[in-house]
Amino acid sequence: MSDDNKEDFDEVERNVVSRLKNVGEMMNAMTISDYDVFLFHEGNLQQAYQFMGSHVRRDSTGAYTEFCVWAPKARHVSVVGSFNHWNGAGYELARRNNEGLWTIRIDEDLSGETYKYEIITLSGLKKLKADPYGFASEKRPNTASVVYELQGFSWGDEKWLENRASSTVYDKPMAIYEVHLGTWKKKAGKFLSYKELAQQLIPHVKEQGFTHIELLPVTEHPFDRSWGYQGTGYYSPTSRYGSPHELMAFVNECHLHNIGVILDWVPGHFCKDAHGLYEFDGSFAYEYGEERDRENYTWGTANFDLGKGEVRSFLISNARFWMDLYHIDGFRIDAVANIIYWANQGELAPNEGALQFLKNLNKAVFEYDSSILMIAEDSTDWPQVTSPVHYGGLGFNYKWNMGWMNDVLKYMETDTSERRHVHSLITFSLLYAYSENYVLPFSHDEVVHGKKSLLNKMPGDYWQKFAQYRLLLSYMMAHPGKKLLFMGSELAPFSEWKDLEQLDWHLLDYDFHHKFNSYFKELMHLYKGAEPLFQMDHRSEGFEWVDVDNREQQIFSFIRNGKEKGDHLVVICNFSPHVYHHYKVGVNKVSSYEEIWNSDDERFGGSHQVNPLPLIVHNESYHGRDGYVEMTIPPYAAVYLKPID
């Protein structure tokens, strides 16, 4: 790195850390200005949370609490709560402008008090609404917002933030552990707190070898079994597991252990519970006015009107909020297909306003901090999802590879005797693997609603299921793209995710599951240490087929290249139950190879068809290569070979 570049990186690091340190001071001092109001309505305000919602502030006269809410069609707005016996008389908000901002100053420190907005609609109907910008919420089934001062938490993750700002994930390993906090583990049938999760979840994630935790939505939501995807409090971490400061402590602890934190985030739709955003002031303020656009019949939710300025400011500011106040490292954006296209019209009519929102969102995030992860869960073939906006793309830096996931699981669920007929399900992904920056996902969606667990998707008997599951994960780690696995994958459960119970931790008491977990940890740590498996994930030079056409024996072989010349691994995957001795594999012309990974090792529960000795390269062309090795190919297994200098 040149001195000039190093100075640039140093400046980026200093700016990121200083920005985050100053957020608390800014929020305490922030007051609404006419320019902020203009940007808010225009859709370009990125820190609306600094004056919207409830804020305890201080001046020379002491502490006071301000409230600000957007209710464009309201006739009257009052704030009611525990501090005024839920009686809004004398607590009426003043209308700030014709566009519907309402404000009030109460000369008290209302920290810890519960509240809602009492809204009288144009038709005279009274509504009690939680604060869309509320920083904390009552624990379900109660639904009020809580006045909460976010300032005061002492962060200790400066080193993590500096390292994140001065590096890039593209040529680094990334293995994401997707977690639903309520069912990862329980204590006497109850949820673990953020504090308990920090004590137990983080060491587990680190031991298993993951680099990031992705949290299913932790914004406040009324129904446990929505898994957080139907939210009411976008600025409020769910109170199920503790306070906002306790969530900050969880994130801080992750960073101290070099674990990144990604939030599953839902900017497309929201639930229709009476205290939430739906028909907020008697009108469709946050959602589309037309029923065909508004109603999300699949999930029983309402779609955000992403063309409306105030909604854009609400959501883009929300992303900034989680970055600023909670030091979040990235977002997995849920249901992007539902945003790209107009609802209820299939993939026929692109929603131009929503597309522009996505571009504005990604531009805003990356202009603020280019090290953030913006990951699209997108099932469409919309082009350039991970291309920058200024090159005509949507501006994400990663996209879930849903096509790869669906194809490979369909292949694995096919009986061995029929796999030769669906050979292309494995090969097809390499035709487009470098068209986007991909994450390979085996998420919660693949192990619920009768789809069976990953292990139980595998055909065959008990031993064959485990062997093929080991093969599947070894193949996944060798395929171009970053990795995501849902919690419990490391235990090899037979049952699918039970979203009211904890994971099947007792499985580790059983021999095959215990051996599988040993396999899993070794594989994950091997992945993180083998540069050819991740350095060239997004460059086509990182992958070369060796043998792509062996459909009869169901063997696929390929090479993953690292950045350094000659740094590569040869990967052989056998999706059949047969052992092949003296099998020839074309390789590069080096002296010999050593087997560094074999998923059939007896330590993992395999049949131990291994290659313990160096494999000498024969100087004769094979598979279009300058040489070949002769080796044993184990059944239902993957083997990695490394050249010996």
Side-chain angles (χ1 to χ4, degrees):
M1 182 184 296
S2 71
D3 291 341
D4 288 343
N5 286 338
K6 186 176 188 306
E7 288 177 8
D8 290 341
F9 274 126
D10 291 343
E11 183 64 22
V12 169
E13 293 169 17
R14 288 191 294 270
N15 287 342
V16 169
V17 176
S18 64
R19 278 201 307 264
L20 294 172
K21 283 182 177 178
N22 291 333
V23 166
E25 297 174 13
M26 290 190 294
M27 291 187 67
N28 185 53
M30 188 72 182
T31 56
I32 188 170
S33 70
D34 290 339
Y35 185 58
D36 293 324
V37 171
F38 169 76
L39 291 177
F40 175 74
H41 293 302
E42 188 185 49
N44 290 320
L45 189 63
Q46 297 182 14
Q47 293 175 289
Y49 53 86
Q50 292 186 338
F51 65 81
M52 297 295 290
S54 64
H55 293 268
V56 177
R57 308 193 193 278
R58 291 165 180 82
D59 60 16
S60 58
T61 65
Y64 60 96
T65 306
E66 287 185 335
F67 294 86
C68 184
V69 65
W70 177 61
K73 300 297 184 181
R75 178 180 294 175
H76 300 291
V77 179
S78 302
V79 61
V80 298
S82 55
F83 56 91
N84 63 6
H85 306 289
W86 300 91
N87 184 342
Y91 291 86
E92 295 86 2
L93 279 69
R95 187 166 187 133
R96 171 78 185 243
N97 59 13
N98 291 331
E99 290 79 17
L101 282 180
W102 301 74
T103 61
I104 188 175
R105 168 174 167 156
I106 300 173
D107 290 325
E108 298 178 59
D109 182 343
L110 298 180
S111 297
E113 301 284 354
T114 56
Y115 71 99
K116 286 185 178 181
Y117 294 114
E118 181 182 88
I119 297 175
I120 307 301
T121 70
L122 292 177
S123 64
L125 182 67
K126 181 191 291 186
K127 289 178 173 283
L128 286 177
K129 290 290 190 175
D131 191 342
Y133 288 84
F135 294 153
S137 304
E138 285 187 293
K139 187 178 292 186
R140 72 196 194 315
N142 297 324
T143 57
S145 300
V146 179
V147 179
Y148 194 95
E149 290 194 78
L150 292 176
Q151 303 91 319
F153 180 76
S154 180
W155 289 91
D157 62 347
E158 290 87 355
K159 185 66 174 177
W160 168 267
L161 296 174
E162 291 172 1
N163 289 338
R164 191 187 76 188
S166 62
S167 62
T168 173
V169 299
Y170 298 111
D171 59 356
K172 293 180 182 291
M174 185 163 70
I176 304 167
Y177 189 64
E178 186 190 35
V179 180
H180 179 251
L181 292 179
T183 54
W184 179 74
K185 188 177 286 187
K186 293 193 174 184
K187 183 178 180 180
K190 296 182 178 180
F191 297 139
L192 297 185
S193 66
Y194 291 122
K195 182 177 180 180
E196 291 169 323
L197 287 161
Q199 294 169 342
Q200 299 181 45
L201 174 58
I202 295 171
H204 176 76
V205 167
K206 193 168 183 178
E207 180 188 11
Q208 300 303 308
F210 290 95
T211 63
H212 291 73
I213 295 173
E214 179 176 302
L215 302 176
L216 266 65
V218 294
T219 48
E220 193 56 80
H221 53 282
F223 183 46
D224 288 354
R225 300 196 75 179
S226 78
W227 313 331
Y229 288 98
Q230 298 186 13
T232 52
Y234 274 68
Y235 288 79
S236 172
T238 177
S239 55
R240 286 167 174 79
Y241 317 122
S243 71
H245 280 168
E246 289 169 334
L247 177 56
M248 291 178 188
F250 173 85
V251 176
N252 189 63
E253 193 68 17
C254 286
H255 289 171
L256 293 178
H257 288 86
N258 294 315
I259 301 294
V261 181
I262 300 167
L263 288 190
D264 203 335
W265 191 56
V266 190
H269 63 107
F270 56 89
C271 73
K272 297 163 68 173
D273 290 53
H275 67 285
L277 298 175
Y278 190 68
E279 295 184 351
F280 187 74
D281 58 0
S283 73
F284 300 117
Y286 284 88
E287 60 270 42
Y288 291 107
E290 294 290 332
E291 179 181 342
R292 68 171 188 176
D293 304 327
R294 177 178 64 251
E295 295 300 317
N296 194 310
Y297 297 111
T298 301
W299 297 311
T301 55
N303 294 313
F304 277 111
D305 183 346
L306 296 172
K308 191 176 291 183
E310 295 85 355
V311 174
R312 290 186 181 184
S313 289
F314 174 78
L315 290 168
I316 293 174
S317 291
N318 189 244
R320 278 287 299 269
F321 170 81
W322 290 106
M323 294 157 58
D324 281 348
L325 276 300
Y326 288 86
H327 294 197
I328 292 302
D329 302 291
F331 301 89
R332 176 265 196 187
I333 289 76
D334 178 62
V336 169
N338 184 63
I339 297 174
I340 291 176
Y341 294 99
W342 284 103
N344 310 313
Q345 297 185 45
E347 294 184 7
L348 298 176
N351 183 335
E352 295 299 334
L355 287 165
Q356 191 59 52
F357 161 75
L358 291 175
K359 294 175 184 179
N360 291 356
L361 166 69
N362 288 320
K363 282 176 63 178
V365 167
F366 291 128
E367 285 172 2
Y368 177 69
D369 188 341
S370 61
S371 67
I372 295 293
L373 293 165
M374 295 297 284
I375 306 169
E377 188 245 344
D378 176 26
S379 57
T380 76
D381 59 359
W382 190 269
Q384 293 186 276
V385 172
T386 58
S387 293
V389 174
H390 57 271
Y391 289 144
L394 292 186
F396 293 93
N397 54 5
Y398 278 98
K399 170 181 172 172
W400 276 18
N401 195 334
M402 310 287 279
W404 172 86
M405 176 272 297
N406 285 314
D407 285 351
V408 72
L409 290 182
K410 184 177 180 180
Y411 182 88
M412 296 304 298
E413 290 180 276
T414 301
D415 188 83
T416 302
S417 63
E418 299 297 321
R419 282 180 179 166
R420 66 184 183 277
H421 301 304
V422 291
H423 187 81
S424 63
L425 290 175
I426 294 294
T427 62
F428 182 63
S429 63
L430 271 303
L431 296 179
Y432 63 86
Y434 298 99
S435 63
E436 304 277 5
N437 298 330
Y438 281 117
V439 172
L440 309 181
F442 288 142
S443 75
H444 66 280
D445 280 329
E446 313 320 316
V447 293
V448 289
H449 303 321
K451 295 179 183 177
K452 301 187 289 189
S453 71
L454 291 179
L455 175 70
N456 213 16
K457 292 178 192 289
M458 306 297 111
D461 60 25
Y462 187 83
W463 186 91
Q464 291 173 326
K465 285 181 179 291
F466 274 93
Q468 290 178 88
Y469 187 32
R470 294 192 303 269
L471 165 61
L472 172 64
L473 295 186
S474 290
Y475 164 67
M476 178 192 194
M477 292 300 149
H479 190 285
K482 308 308 181 187
K483 325 299 177 186
L484 178 141
L485 288 159
F486 186 53
M487 65 179 194
S489 300
E490 70 275 27
L491 307 178
F494 274 98
S495 60
E496 47 176 47
W497 174 38
K498 300 179 287 294
D499 64 354
L500 292 177
E501 303 174 29
Q502 69 173 7
L503 296 181
D504 295 330
W505 295 103
H506 65 279
L507 292 176
L508 292 176
D509 295 331
Y510 294 87
D511 182 56
F512 251 60
H513 294 274
H514 181 77
K515 287 180 176 178
F516 174 82
N517 184 242
S518 296
Y519 154 86
F520 187 92
K521 288 185 286 190
E522 285 197 34
L523 175 62
M524 294 294 287
H525 287 282
L526 171 65
Y527 162 70
K528 292 195 301 182
E531 293 177 344
L533 295 181
F534 57 79
Q535 276 189 338
M536 303 281 279
D537 272 331
H538 313 305
R539 295 174 59 182
S540 59
E541 310 95 283
F543 183 94
E544 300 174 61
W545 281 113
V546 173
D547 186 3
V548 68
D549 295 321
N550 192 349
R551 65 181 64 241
E552 293 302 321
Q553 291 178 302
Q554 298 157 34
I555 296 176
F556 300 82
S557 52
F558 54 88
I559 291 174
R560 289 300 308 275
N561 292 311
K563 284 185 175 181
E564 299 297 324
K565 185 177 181 180
D567 186 19
H568 67 278
L569 295 178
V570 179
V571 178
I572 305 100
C573 297
N574 179 12
F575 290 91
S576 83
H578 305 296
V579 182
Y580 297 97
H581 298 289
H582 308 293
Y583 188 93
K584 294 181 179 181
V585 179
V587 295
N588 294 340
K589 194 172 182 181
V590 298
S591 60
S592 61
Y593 284 83
E594 62 177 333
E595 182 178 272
I596 63 167
W597 182 252
N598 189 323
S599 65
D600 191 51
D601 194 300
E602 64 183 355
R603 295 181 298 117
F604 308 141
S607 62
H608 207 61
Q609 299 293 324
V610 299
N611 297 275
L613 300 177
L615 299 170
I616 305 302
V617 175
H618 299 270
N619 294 325
E620 181 180 329
S621 178
Y622 199 80
H623 286 149
R625 301 274 155 182
D626 291 335
Y628 71 87
V629 295
E630 198 168 318
M631 60 183 293
T632 294
I633 304 293
Y636 288 140
V639 174
Y640 299 171
L641 305 179
K642 180 179 180 180
I644 300 174
D645 293 333

